[in-house]
Amino acid sequence: MYADIDYYNDKYKGVDIPDIELLGRLLTRASRDIDILTSFNIDLDTMTPKNINLVKLATCAQAEFLAMRGETASSIAQEHGSVSIGSYSESSGGQYGAQSKTPPSRFSASVRELLLPTGLLYGGVMMRGY
């Protein structure tokens, strides 16, 4: 885990999650989500304290997102209902719902904003020695 329960409660001060076991699971899932988003490029041993703090904040923001949206919100595609009876059918309104043509986000909006200055979201080729 990039952020622990004490960091979430004392530094991040996010939505209150009184169930310590649940909070631990959310922080573990959030750390996995951060790894996926950053293509597993996080190496805390080589990062600056500022960037380590940003990774911790992003992890907490993702854990809070999961607490609000559901523990599996980042790993299970949103289901859309439909029903058919004989020749009649009805659905929830398009591939991603009636109002949106984009898939629901797997990440808190804050996660990308917090990680952007770290360089961890860069998808290009890193050149060293130039």
Side-chain angles (χ1 to χ4, degrees), residues 70-103:
E71 190 172 349
T72 59
S74 66
S75 58
I76 296 178
Q78 185 173 343
E79 299 290 331
H80 297 285
S82 64
V83 64
S84 295
I85 302 172
S87 62
Y88 174 80
S89 67
E90 186 175 306
S91 69
S92 63
Q95 183 179 4
Y96 299 114
Q99 301 299 319
S100 175
K101 296 297 180 199
T102 59

Side-chain angles (χ1 to χ4, degrees), residues 4-25:
D4 61 20
I5 292 168
D6 290 334
Y7 187 91
Y8 181 89
N9 287 326
D10 300 337
K11 300 269 197 268
Y12 183 74
K13 300 181 187 279
V15 170
D16 185 37
I17 304 171
D19 183 339
I20 298 299
E21 185 178 320
L22 173 62
L23 180 53
R25 281 197 319 267

